[in-house]
Amino acid sequence: MASTVVHVDETLKECDPDNFLNFPPFYTLQPVETTRKNQLQIWRNVIVKYVHLKNLKGISLNEFQLFENHQIGRKLDSEARTAIAQNLIDSGHGEWNDINHNSMTITWRTAGDWGQVMYQHANELELVDTVYTLYELHSGDISRGTEFHGLDASTCFKALESLAHSGKVQIFAGAETLDETGFKFIRK
């Protein structure tokens, strides 16, 4: 008799150390509000970590591999997938990519968190009070070697907006494209 070898994705082990993805009730949206809230938080944490470790930019709600576990014969229904997606959005980790709400961008850090990382970097390198473009921030020399180098323009812009609300960045209007948007870090 041949034995079946199951290859466990090491990323899954790291994202789900408590093994919730192998717990059948985890795939059913829980009816008790406090339990559901905890369930959605666990899903969010697992997804955010998984997307980060796999270097994914987003997910398709209909095709995301974590939403189905063939080994235990369980999968999330569309209501649960939508609830998880909404939780990701509400926490600042997700954003819809389409009007039909089939796919979404996931960021492992919220815009506010990215903003703080960028602001700290700007202060360390004395980048304050100088005008830069958004393109320079995510793909230029000023970000080379940082964890936000290569981050998409939309997420970078949201990070700058979060800093603008606290007076740490001035954003200049009038650019034709997002990448051409000018801004400067302000020392606080």
Side-chain angles (χ1 to χ4, degrees):
M1 176 182 253
S3 64
T4 304
V5 177
V6 177
H7 297 284
V8 178
D9 185 339
E10 291 300 317
T11 305
L12 286 178
K13 280 191 204 176
E14 192 171 338
C15 296
D16 183 27
D18 297 319
N19 211 22
F20 284 107
L21 294 174
N22 286 319
F23 184 56
F26 195 54
Y27 290 86
T28 301
L29 206 52
Q30 298 301 302
V32 177
E33 186 177 340
T34 54
T35 305
R36 180 186 298 216
K37 185 177 176 182
N38 288 335
Q39 177 189 28
L40 293 174
Q41 181 179 350
I42 293 167
W43 268 112
R44 180 182 69 230
N45 293 341
V46 169
I47 291 168
V48 166
K49 191 178 280 187
Y50 183 82
V51 166
H52 172 61
L53 292 174
K54 288 288 196 177
N55 200 25
L56 303 173
K57 300 296 183 201
I59 64 171
S60 165
L61 263 56
N62 297 325
E63 299 171 11
F64 188 49
Q65 80 174 70
L66 297 187
F67 288 164
E68 186 169 0
N69 185 329
H70 296 285
Q71 289 179 324
I72 62 171
R74 299 292 301 216
K75 69 179 179 178
L76 291 168
D77 63 20
S78 63
E79 179 187 4
R81 292 172 193 226
T82 301
I84 292 166
Q86 191 59 52
N87 184 274
L88 286 160
I89 291 166
D90 293 345
S91 69
H93 288 283
E95 179 179 295
W96 292 117
N97 289 337
D98 60 351
I99 59 172
N100 295 324
H101 295 181
N102 292 320
S103 68
M104 62 188 316
T105 299
I106 308 279
T107 58
W108 65 284
R109 289 191 175 183
T110 65
D113 291 343
W114 278 121
Q116 291 307 313
V117 169
M118 292 170 185
Y119 190 72
Q120 181 179 348
H121 175 72
N123 279 305
E124 288 171 0
L125 294 184
E126 302 284 329
L127 302 175
V128 295
D129 297 325
T130 303
V131 176
Y132 297 99
T133 65
L134 192 64
Y135 178 82
E136 289 175 293
L137 180 64
H138 66 75
S139 296
D141 290 339
I142 65 171
S143 68
R144 196 164 315 283
T146 67
E147 57 191 321
F148 59 88
H149 186 80
L151 195 62
D152 65 280
S154 176
T155 301
C156 285
F157 186 74
K158 288 175 186 160
L160 291 178
E161 285 181 318
S162 75
L163 290 172
H165 290 300
S166 60
K168 295 178 179 177
V169 161
Q170 181 179 2
I171 300 173
F172 303 104
E176 289 188 28
T177 68
L178 200 55
D179 275 341
E180 295 171 348
T181 301
F183 71 94
K184 72 176 177 177
F185 292 105
I186 300 168
R187 191 176 312 278
K188 277 286 201 173

